[in-house]
């Protein structure tokens, strides 16, 4: 009986994943793609439709109708309203929330200010208040299935925040704190990992053989997605690309070292180059990339030089990463987006000119998501736990009526 239950869960998740990637298919089409019998697909789809996870949306092409007697061309698709997944970004001075529907599309987002050095308990208390507000919302009540939370620091397997110097946190069992304010199944992830995963998950057409993601803002976070999965390292704290050493000298990094890539390409580095000081407050730093970009377009020499300085060091970092990972694609996101738009051609030239000869140059593009990319990515990670058959042996059950696939 246990084996049958596991097989059923795997088949259900496989159907849902196929529909998420392909949009809609007939029952016969699903059976062919998954090498399952039509009777099995009919039974599973009927149960999932009863539980509000999938729906019929009409007829497919006439050719398909001709070869599928019995249920000619009726298409099955995910029901976007079947479930919702919450993503929460704990940032510097801000808490961002994003809700994605069952089709992994953004349904709602919100943003709340928090003290830049708020304690873990204070932030978790606000998270609990927002979750309770969602549960009281008639539109989402009872349909938020799981949540993901991101932080801009080291996160070990199991949700332990090892080190988060930007917020002054260290060795925080964030999952334990969150369990006190919500019964939802929650995952905790590094913010760059979440943003990288979300950028690809939200656009299944993008390649995932090996994709690198850099999030440039207050820090410089990095992530790698290999064959659709995040590369985390042995203990979950890998891919700290912002701490690649690019020189022996330079500003002191919050990690305690000098010469880190992060200190050359983050918003504080931009402030030093463009304003001659880096003691701007959080709001000023948030506005700075757009201001410097606008000034450079108007011919301001200092702003142009600041952008060139940033793109030079970022390009050198990308060359090292390409030589190490041989990625198919590099995605750039974060607060620096206004500057990244201007520097993409230069970055592509640096990478093409300086990587090991014979290496195929990866495409370099901007993240398809906006400033909500970390929150959306966290929601996508929670969403993925419902779909991924490989997570069956580790994912806790989701205590919601009608959802039998977790």
């Amino acid at each position: 009986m246990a084996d049958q239950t596991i097989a059923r869960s795997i088949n259900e998740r496989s159907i849902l994943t196929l529909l998420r990637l392909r949009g809609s298919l007939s029952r016969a089409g699903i059976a062919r793609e998954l090498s399952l019998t039509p009777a099995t697909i009919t039974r599973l789809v009927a149960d999932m439709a009863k539980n509000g996870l999938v729906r019929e949306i009409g007829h497919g092409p006439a050719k398909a109708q001709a070869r599928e007697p019995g249920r000619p061309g009726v298409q099955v698709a995910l029901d976007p309203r079947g479930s919702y997944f919450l993503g929460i970004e704990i940032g510097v001075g801000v808490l961002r929330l994003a809700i994605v529907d069952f089709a992994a599309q953004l349904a709602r987002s919100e943003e709340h200010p928090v003290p830049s050095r708020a304690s873990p308990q204070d932030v978790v208390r606000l998270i609990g208040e927002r979750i309770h507000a969602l549960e009281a919302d008639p539109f989402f009540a009872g349909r938020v299935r799981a949540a993901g939370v991101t932080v801009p620091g080291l996160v070990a397997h199991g949700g332990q925040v090892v080190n988060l110097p930007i917020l002054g946190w260290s060795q925080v069992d964030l999952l334990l704190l969150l369990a006190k304010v919500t019964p939802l199944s929650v995952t905790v992830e590094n913010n760059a990992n979440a943003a990288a995963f979300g950028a690809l998950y939200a656009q299944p057409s993008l390649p995932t053989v090996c994709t690198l993601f850099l999030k440039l803002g207050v820090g410089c976070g990095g992530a790698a997605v290999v064959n659709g999965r995040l590369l985390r390292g042995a203990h979950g704290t890998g891919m700290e690309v912002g701490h690649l050493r690019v020189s022996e000298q330079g500003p002191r990094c919050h990690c305690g070292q000098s010469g880190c890539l992060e200190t050359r390409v983050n918003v504080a580095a931009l402030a030093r180059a463009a304003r001659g000081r880096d003691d701007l407050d959080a709001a000023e730093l948030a506005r700075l990339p757009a201001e410097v970009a606008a000034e450079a377009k108007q011919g301001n020499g200092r702003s142009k030089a600041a952008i060139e300085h940033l793109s030079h060091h970022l390009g050198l970092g990308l060359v090292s990463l390409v030589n190490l990972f041989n990625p198919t694609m590099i995605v750039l996101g974060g607060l620096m987006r206004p500057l990244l738009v201007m520097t993409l051609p230069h970055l592509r030239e640096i990478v093409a000119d300086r990587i090991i000869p014979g290496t195929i140059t990866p495409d370099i593009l901007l993240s398809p998501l906006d400033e909500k990319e970390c929150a959306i990515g966290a929601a996508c990670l929670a969403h993925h736990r419902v779909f991924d058959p490989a997570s069956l042996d580790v994912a806790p059950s989701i205590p919601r009526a009608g959802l039998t696939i977790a």
Side-chain angles (χ1 to χ4, degrees), residues 100-169:
V100 301
D101 61 24
F102 206 45
Q105 300 301 305
L106 182 64
R108 180 183 296 183
S109 65
E110 55 187 64
E111 185 173 305
H112 302 276
V114 295
S116 58
R117 303 287 285 187
S119 70
Q121 292 77 11
D122 288 340
V123 173
V124 168
R125 189 178 303 113
L126 177 57
I127 290 173
E129 292 172 359
R130 299 315 308 156
I131 292 177
H132 292 321
L134 285 174
E135 289 289 358
D137 186 326
F139 188 81
F140 294 111
R143 292 192 289 171
V144 178
R145 308 296 182 180
V149 177
T150 75
V151 295
L154 290 178
V155 179
H157 292 310
Q160 181 85 5
V161 178
V162 178
N163 191 27
L164 184 44
I166 292 178
L167 299 183
W169 299 5

